[in-house]
Amino acid sequence: MLIPLLQASPWALFIGRFHPVLVHLPIGFLLIAALIEIGRRTGKISVSESTVVFVLFWSAVSATFACIAGYLLSLGGGYDEDLLGAHMWKGIGVAVFAWVAWLVKSDRLAGKISFGKVVYLPAFAVSVLLTMTAGHDGGSLTHGGGYLTQYTPEPFRSLAGMDPIEEKAKEIKPITDVQQAVVYKDIVQPILEARCTQCHNASKKKGDLRMDELALLMKGGENGPALVAGKGAESDMIKRCLLDESDDNHMPPKGKPQLSTEQIALLSWWIDQGAPADKKVSELAVTDRVKPALASLGGGSATGGSGGAKQKESAIATLKVSPAKESDIQALRKAGLIVNTLSQDQNLLEVSAVNAPQFGDKDIALLLPVAEQVTWLKLGGTQITDGGLKEIAKLKNLTKLHLEHSGVTDQGIAQIKSLPHLEYLNVIDTKMGDAGLKNIASMKGLRSIYVWQSGVTDSAVAQAAKQSPGLQIVNGFSEAEVAQFLKAGDSTATKPVAASKK
């Protein structure tokens, strides 16, 4: 067990975070020294002993600084104590034996200690060996137990007595029947495994919080409970997801894959429902706000009747734009918007106002500097009206647009008909009517539109279905149709899903 001699002050943690940088120096120096020694002793290279001594000296110095930084980093907590202890003592061993190898090899002691030559090679070898084992422990501390050996191939795996590889999907798999999905096991846990458990598991417990088991998630960490059953908005794990990505308390940390707005909505909904362990979707109250998120869990092709169709590739799948300016992104975040990068290669952005209900027409100007990069825009529940849609029409790479629970009408919808790549439109609980649906249904790239609780009538849905047979139109749910819609998900449909409004 480690006994902290210092407190985890900001200065200590600042210096400690240089440990991953410093730790590579002794690794490199020791391996270079080892290669030089092998080359010298096999007659492959001609290098003076002073060169070896010089490299060993800096091996010892850098190992010492790496140990200090590593200790300061450990003060932040959140690591498995046994594994951390083993890593620490092995790191200290690297530094100690590197100093011993340097001392007996250098002019200072080489001629004064008769057994120096006998000590040198064992000390050097132990230092190199400890470097490798300490590195293994470091990888396990950072990425979880067995990180370096997880994908050991055959036949080495069998020879070492290791279990067969269990492939763990990095991406969340589509759910065939969302209505029958167990909310925690099939929806919540996969989200946590994909985005959270890398830093909150048995080997690495950042903030003394584990999220790999429900009981431990409910227990919470050093800052108290991670969630408050029945109160998603008051739960720490939700509030941290909604913080500015540059905030030190934002989770997942900046640079890590972020949760999508749909994933945050699903987690918050699960907590609102009491964070049940074994309830199915069909057993919980499904709100209008979470229905699109549940629909997005469905995979494969959408089927509105018989048959099916392979999902078409997005029109911007291969589009690559220049990166948005950081100052423009910060301006959006200052206004309360969440900005996530959808693809590092393409530089496309998702902008969400889930945490900014006050966002209105006058704020749309903030989007124009990133008009080229924004492809998902979520303005549901905001103050946006027809006036703002005129500016939104300038976002030419927009593929997904959420306007649910807003003040848009047919007049505003006509403004966005010019968007060339729009595939998804959500106008739930708006004043858009039959004229708006007729106008928008003719858009070539539009795949799905959600119009329940709007001014759209059943007859207009039927007419639009004939006009655009490849368009999925969702106009409310009946008990018989809800499972089919959720199974269909947010993807291309061969036939429209038209249901009477409730």
Side-chain angles (χ1 to χ4, degrees):
M1 182 173 178
L2 298 180
I3 301 176
L5 303 176
L6 299 172
Q7 296 297 320
S9 67
W11 269 105
L13 295 177
F14 171 73
I15 297 172
R17 290 195 174 188
F18 282 90
H19 174 70
V21 177
L22 295 173
V23 78
H24 290 86
L25 297 176
I27 295 173
F29 283 133
L30 283 169
L31 291 179
I32 288 173
L35 290 173
I36 290 175
E37 278 291 7
I38 293 172
R40 288 178 67 245
R41 293 172 182 271
T42 58
K44 300 293 184 182
I45 59 174
S46 177
V47 179
S48 65
E49 292 213 359
S50 60
T51 301
V52 179
V53 172
F54 179 80
V55 176
L56 284 174
F57 173 76
W58 287 108
S59 300
V61 170
S62 57
T64 301
F65 280 110
C67 286
I68 294 171
Y71 173 73
L72 295 176
L73 181 62
S74 72
L75 297 177
Y79 298 99
D80 179 85
E81 289 194 1
D82 292 336
L83 187 58
L84 178 62
H87 178 63
M88 183 189 75
W89 288 114
K90 288 175 182 178
I92 292 173
V94 171
V96 169
F97 283 104
W99 279 116
V100 170
W102 172 74
L103 283 171
V104 298
K105 187 73 170 177
S106 68
D107 295 336
R108 297 174 183 272
L109 295 178
K112 300 177 182 179
I113 302 178
S114 58
F115 56 84
K117 291 184 178 181
V118 178
V119 173
Y120 169 66
L121 280 180
F124 187 20
V126 170
S127 184
V128 173
L129 180 62
L130 288 176
T131 298
M132 296 179 179
T133 57
H136 177 271
D137 291 343
S140 297
L141 281 171
T142 304
H143 303 286
Y147 173 72
L148 296 181
T149 59
Q150 181 179 0
Y151 294 104
T152 301
E154 296 291 357
F156 306 106
R157 196 171 193 87
S158 298
L159 292 173
M162 301 169 67
D163 294 330
I165 294 176
E166 293 184 7
E167 291 291 344
K168 185 177 180 180
K170 293 182 179 180
E171 297 298 327
I172 299 173
K173 295 181 178 180
I175 299 174
T176 303
D177 187 351
V178 177
Q179 279 287 293
Q180 296 305 311
V182 177
V183 179
Y184 174 72
K185 180 175 71 71
D186 298 327
I187 299 175
V188 173
Q189 192 173 32
I191 294 174
L192 298 180
E193 288 178 349
R195 296 289 183 263
C196 308
T197 58
Q198 182 179 350
C199 294
H200 300 282
N201 55 60
S203 299
K204 184 180 181 182
K205 297 175 285 186
K206 295 297 289 183
D208 200 28
L209 172 65
R210 285 182 58 179
M211 304 180 78
D212 53 330
E213 295 181 21
L214 179 56
L216 297 173
L217 173 63
M218 300 295 287
K219 180 181 177 182
E222 62 183 22
N223 294 318
L227 61 90
V228 181
K231 299 179 179 179
E234 297 179 21
S235 296
D236 193 50
M237 62 183 284
I238 299 300
K239 290 193 289 186
R240 284 176 178 261
C241 292
L242 297 176
L243 290 173
D244 190 299
E245 193 174 341
S246 61
D247 192 305
D248 287 342
N249 292 318
H250 173 83
M251 292 295 160
K254 186 175 182 180
K256 298 285 187 180
Q258 299 295 309
L259 279 85
S260 67
T261 304
E262 284 87 356
Q263 290 172 336
I264 295 173
L266 289 167
L267 293 178
S268 185
W269 169 69
W270 171 68
I271 297 171
D272 285 339
Q273 297 300 310
D278 53 5
K279 295 285 188 181
K280 296 180 179 179
V281 171
S282 60
E283 298 175 294
L284 301 180
V286 178
T287 64
D288 284 344
R289 285 186 177 273
V290 82
K291 282 176 181 175
L294 287 169
S296 70
L297 299 173
S301 58
T303 54
S306 60
K310 185 177 181 180
Q311 185 174 355
K312 297 178 182 178
E313 185 177 50
S314 173
I316 62 165
T318 59
L319 178 67
K320 185 172 183 179
V321 298
S322 58
K325 292 182 180 179
E326 186 62 28
S327 58
D328 294 332
I329 292 177
Q330 289 305 321
L332 292 171
R333 288 173 174 161
K334 189 175 181 180
L337 300 176
I338 298 173
V339 183
N340 291 323
T341 300
L342 294 175
S343 170
Q344 295 289 350
D345 294 333
Q346 295 178 277
N347 299 312
L348 297 174
L349 300 176
E350 170 194 30
V351 177
S352 172
V354 67
N355 204 31
Q358 76 287 351
F359 191 88
D361 295 346
K362 61 179 173 40
D363 303 307
I364 291 294
L366 295 171
L367 293 168
L368 299 184
V370 293
E372 185 183 29
Q373 290 82 15
V374 176
T375 189
W376 290 4
L377 181 59
K378 302 181 179 181
L379 300 179
T382 65
Q383 305 300 311
I384 205 73
T385 68
D386 293 342
L389 292 187
K390 183 177 181 180
E391 298 301 308
I392 289 174
K394 297 177 181 178
L395 279 58
K396 297 301 182 182
N397 290 327
L398 204 60
T399 58
K400 182 181 289 189
L401 179 59
H402 284 255
L403 297 170
E404 64 269 25
H405 312 294
S406 69
V408 300
T409 69
D410 292 343
Q411 184 178 358
I413 291 300
Q415 300 285 343
I416 63 172
K417 187 178 179 181
S418 61
L419 289 171
H421 304 308
L422 190 65
E423 300 171 357
Y424 170 104
L425 178 64
N426 190 326
V427 286
I428 297 169
D429 188 27
T430 67
K431 296 179 181 179
M432 190 191 87
D434 293 352
L437 177 60
K438 181 179 180 181
N439 207 340
I440 207 78
S442 62
M443 292 181 66
K444 184 177 180 180
L446 193 64
R447 300 179 182 180
S448 52
I449 180 171
Y450 299 79
V451 298
W452 72 81
Q453 295 181 353
S454 68
V456 177
T457 64
D458 291 342
S459 59
V461 170
Q463 181 61 37
K466 294 178 181 178
Q467 176 186 351
S468 306
L471 177 64
Q472 178 190 29
I473 306 173
V474 182
N475 188 32
F477 296 98
S478 65
E479 292 182 2
E481 291 163 325
V482 68
Q484 181 176 337
F485 164 65
L486 291 175
K487 180 180 179 181
D490 181 13
S491 58
T492 305
T494 56
K495 295 183 180 180
V497 178
S500 60
K501 292 187 290 182
K502 295 182 69 175

